[in-house]
Amino acid sequence: LKVLDAANAAAIKMTTHKDADAEVAAMKERYMKIKAVADAWVKKVDTLVKEWALLDNTVTELNAWVAKDKTQEGENQFSLEKMESTLGELKTIFKEKEKLVEQL
């Protein structure tokens, strides 16, 4: 009877061990899926932050450029080509941002 009880206890431990192994494997698989999604979101957010920084720098540069180019009479003496290129950059940045936000 003692041998049977010991064998039964050993069998219970093994079953519990198998259950624990299965639970750990399921949790590890779940963790890997969650980590993959989190990594994808981090990559998207990093890209968005870089785009916002680029936009901020461009707008700051444009504001400084417009403020600097004012003459004593208050007229703006800046080149139309430079303004068009800067506005083109801003349009491109906004288009890229729209795409990124849609992907989020």
Side-chain angles (χ1 to χ4, degrees):
L1 185 61
K2 287 183 180 182
V3 173
L4 287 176
D5 287 339
N8 187 29
I12 290 172
K13 287 180 183 177
M14 286 183 192
T15 302
T16 304
H17 187 63
K18 286 180 185 177
D19 291 342
D21 286 345
E23 189 174 337
V24 167
M27 286 183 179
K28 186 174 182 179
E29 182 181 344
R30 184 176 174 199
Y31 169 79
M32 296 305 285
K33 288 179 182 177
I34 291 171
K35 183 165 178 9
V37 170
D39 288 345
W41 274 97
V42 166
K43 184 178 177 183
K44 289 177 183 179
V45 169
D46 282 345
T47 304
L48 195 57
V49 167
K50 288 176 185 174
E51 289 297 319
W52 276 109
L54 179 61
L55 174 65
D56 185 46
N57 290 340
T58 305
V59 169
T60 302
E61 178 185 338
L62 182 62
N63 286 338
W65 174 66
V66 169
K68 184 177 82 172
D69 284 340
K70 285 195 174 185
T71 63
Q72 301 235 345
E73 296 85 32
E75 296 175 10
N76 289 330
Q77 299 293 326
F78 46 84
S79 68
L80 189 58
E81 293 83 18
K82 185 173 180 182
M83 180 180 262
E84 286 177 354
S85 69
T86 305
L87 290 176
E89 275 184 51
L90 287 173
K91 285 181 183 178
T92 304
I93 291 169
F94 276 121
K95 286 179 185 176
E96 290 177 14
K97 253 188 223 21
E98 286 176 357
K99 289 177 187 175
L100 290 172
V101 169
E102 286 175 7
Q103 291 175 356
L104 293 177

